[in-house]
Amino acid sequence: MSRKKEKIELGEVTRETAKKRFKKFPLAILPVGSCEQHGPHLPLDTDAYDAHYVATEAANLSKSPKPLVLPTLPYGISLHHLGFCGTVSLTPQTFINLVFEIAESVKLHGVKALVVVNGHGGNTASLIAAGQMIKHRLGMEFYIYEGWSGGHKRFGIPGDVHAGGFETSTSLAIRPHLVDREAIPQPVKSSFPIPQTNFSAEEHIGFAFNTDELSKTGVLGDATKIDIEKGKEFWKRSIENLVAILEELRKHLLRA
Ligand SMILES: [Zn+2]
């Protein structure tokens, strides 16, 4: 008789299963993304899909009892992309409250650590703020996993921060049917307010921007630099790294 596959998505299990699982592995994974323009060629849900993909693949590859993955947060902070159609954004205040209240709920069910798998750079600052509140007010552990931050560097395309060669390759690696190859734009020269704001500047300083002021295509980077093999390699690494982190956290939480 084949053993029934252990489910990993909170939405797919009963309350009794959730109760048992949180008891055995008191951790919850929250994938967060965005609904925002990704150039003329990539789907709007790229960041949410990617976060959900990494989180569920890693949970599935984990040993039993496997961690539970909460429903994906499909919206994030995309105020800078609102100049392009299809973008739907939360304000940082709302987003911080959402993440905090999700943590507050799962804490009631015995969860001791929340691991956010973040698919969107615009969410990072607010996730750190939410994490500080969660740690301080709830006494819960909080972790942010952003596989793409190292992946971007390995692609080595200067200033490739949004819907460029990295995201086009990683999307082609897992959802080729949703990439409009005909629409992939040539790179445009962005006009940065001062040279230090250029994403590839050595002395880079952070700054607030609207994407449509920097790029008329909505792409920041070079979407023509496609490498599907590197894209596949990126996913493999991101998933394996998260599996290893989850195993460490399992030991750590069971020790605590
Ligand atoms: Zn993206």
Side-chain angles (χ1 to χ4, degrees):
M1 223 169 71
S2 66
R3 269 191 77 221
K4 254 205 351 221
K5 210 175 151 232
E6 201 174 353
K7 291 199 171 65
I8 47 100
E9 300 213 44
L10 181 72
E12 293 187 349
V13 302
T14 63
R15 68 181 193 208
E16 297 309 315
T17 303
K19 194 175 177 180
K20 280 186 214 140
R21 198 78 64 79
F22 283 145
K23 196 166 181 189
K24 287 186 194 149
F25 195 172
L27 169 150
I29 303 172
L30 174 66
V32 301
S34 70
C35 177
E36 67 181 28
Q37 73 88 18
H38 270 76
H41 61 298
L42 294 178
L44 292 153
D45 77 344
T46 297
D47 300 342
Y49 181 88
D50 291 355
H52 177 261
Y53 175 69
V54 170
T56 52
E57 290 288 311
N60 266 321
L61 286 171
S62 294
K63 316 193 271 226
S64 179
K66 297 181 193 293
L68 282 175
V69 180
L70 306 177
T72 300
L73 204 54
Y75 303 116
I77 299 154
S78 306
L79 300 169
H80 50 307
H81 290 296
L82 281 170
F84 291 95
C85 188
T87 303
V88 178
S89 183
L90 303 175
T91 59
Q93 293 89 327
T94 303
F95 181 82
I96 292 167
N97 285 342
L98 268 169
V99 175
F100 181 82
E101 288 170 21
I102 290 168
E104 207 172 25
S105 297
V106 293
K107 193 196 169 188
L108 292 173
H109 314 315
V111 170
K112 292 184 185 143
L114 186 68
V115 177
V116 170
V117 176
N118 180 29
H120 172 50
N123 294 341
T124 307
S126 300
L127 282 171
I128 293 168
Q132 284 185 313
M133 297 275 290
I134 288 166
K135 179 74 179 157
H136 174 68
R137 295 251 173 102
L138 305 177
M140 248 176 107
E141 296 191 19
F142 183 84
Y143 302 90
I144 306 174
Y145 185 66
E146 295 180 329
W148 44 264
S149 50
H152 262 290
K153 279 186 209 108
R154 284 194 296 280
F155 263 71
I157 310 168
D160 195 68
V161 299
H162 184 72
F166 171 72
E167 270 189 308
T168 305
S169 305
T170 52
S171 294
L172 281 168
I174 48 172
R175 294 201 296 174
H177 57 292
L178 294 184
V179 179
D180 186 351
R181 277 190 174 251
E182 311 279 277
I184 293 173
Q186 289 300 315
V188 288
K189 226 181 140 36
S190 302
S191 50
F192 292 97
I194 57 172
Q196 290 87 341
T197 57
N198 190 322
F199 299 112
S200 56
E202 221 166 280
E203 303 301 328
H204 178 73
I205 60 157
F207 74 121
F209 61 89
N210 288 327
T211 307
D212 55 357
E213 288 168 5
L214 297 182
S215 163
K216 62 180 189 313
T217 65
V219 171
L220 299 168
D222 186 350
T224 66
K225 292 220 161 46
I226 293 166
D227 188 330
I228 300 175
E229 277 318 303
K230 257 194 197 167
K232 287 184 182 157
E233 182 53 33
F234 162 76
W235 290 120
K236 194 170 167 284
R237 244 174 126 139
S238 283
I239 293 162
E240 283 171 3
N241 285 343
L242 182 55
V243 171
I245 289 165
L246 292 170
E247 283 318 311
E248 289 297 335
L249 286 174
R250 184 202 304 269
K251 285 186 259 167
H252 161 72
L253 293 170
L254 296 180
R255 260 195 317 263

